[in-house]
Amino acid sequence: MSKVERRKGSKPVTGHRSLVTAFIALGSNLGDPAQQVRAALRTLAALPGTRLVRQSSFYRNPPEGGLDQPEFVNAVAQIETRAGPRELLDRLLEIERAHGRARDYPNAPRTLDLDVVLYGDRVVREPALTIPHPRMLDRAFVLVPLAEIAPDAVVPGQGRVADLAAMLDASGLVKLA
């Protein structure tokens, strides 16, 4: 039993027997951002019960909201995992911390940012965890790389990723070699 006692008859949401396809958005704008994202992909691939299926190209883009900070490098990874949504988020937060992520203030520059954007066809609404990611539909730096690797993926209640990406202004994105 964990530190927090579960209600009688409830089941922990820590894992699944079958693999679930999930998509993780990765970003960095401190240090060597491309290297940070590459290292995070390696760490993601090494998570227990998880397999890295594919990754998008890397994209350079300006910080959201015209903030005065370095440009970001972003990508999206497709994984198959036995981790439940909350467990997966907890693992991503551990990876961020291991890469020196500090959460000084909202939209602060960061060594690494990892977000669960899709988790199978699940819709999750919990404190500190919302899937699909609540701002992904407004972010070309998420939808464009996601459409590159999974154009037919569906955002529950919204539509096909390729169609959603086509509606965004992606003029600020630069695909890196």
Side-chain angles (χ1 to χ4, degrees):
M1 191 69 66
S2 67
K3 292 179 185 176
V4 177
E5 292 291 317
R6 294 191 317 247
R7 281 186 250 162
K8 186 175 180 177
S10 69
K11 294 181 181 178
V13 186
T14 58
H16 295 275
R17 294 185 194 276
S18 60
L19 289 170
V20 174
T21 297
F23 294 92
I24 310 301
L26 303 95
S28 173
N29 73 335
L30 290 179
D32 181 341
Q35 179 55 36
Q36 292 280 12
V37 171
R38 277 192 290 278
L41 286 164
R42 286 190 300 273
T43 306
L44 192 59
L47 288 176
T50 299
R51 181 174 78 90
L52 178 63
V53 176
R54 69 176 55 101
Q55 67 188 56
S56 72
S57 301
F58 288 10
Y59 292 82
R60 188 179 69 237
N61 58 284
E64 192 129 312
L67 299 173
D68 185 24
Q69 56 182 267
E71 289 188 318
F72 276 84
V73 170
N74 290 95
V76 170
Q78 178 182 348
I79 62 170
E80 290 180 342
T81 187
R82 294 188 190 283
R86 170 59 59 185
E87 181 182 3
L88 180 58
L89 175 63
D90 290 344
R91 289 177 177 178
L92 297 181
L93 293 173
E94 288 172 15
I95 293 169
E96 286 182 355
R97 283 190 294 274
H99 285 262
R101 170 76 190 262
R103 294 179 181 270
D104 298 329
Y105 55 90
N107 299 318
R110 58 208 72 159
T111 54
L112 189 61
D113 187 26
L114 302 173
D115 292 311
V116 181
V117 292
L118 293 173
Y119 184 89
D121 61 359
R122 298 260 314 262
V123 174
V124 178
R125 302 277 184 256
E126 297 178 5
L129 178 61
T130 302
I131 302 171
H133 191 281
R135 293 176 303 281
M136 72 181 285
L137 299 177
D138 301 323
R139 294 179 167 172
F141 62 84
V142 172
L143 284 178
V144 170
L146 179 56
E148 177 187 323
I149 61 173
D152 293 324
V154 174
V155 178
Q158 300 298 322
R160 276 180 67 244
V161 166
D163 298 332
L164 297 168
M167 293 190 296
L168 292 177
D169 175 8
S171 61
L173 290 180
V174 176
K175 189 174 182 177
L176 302 176

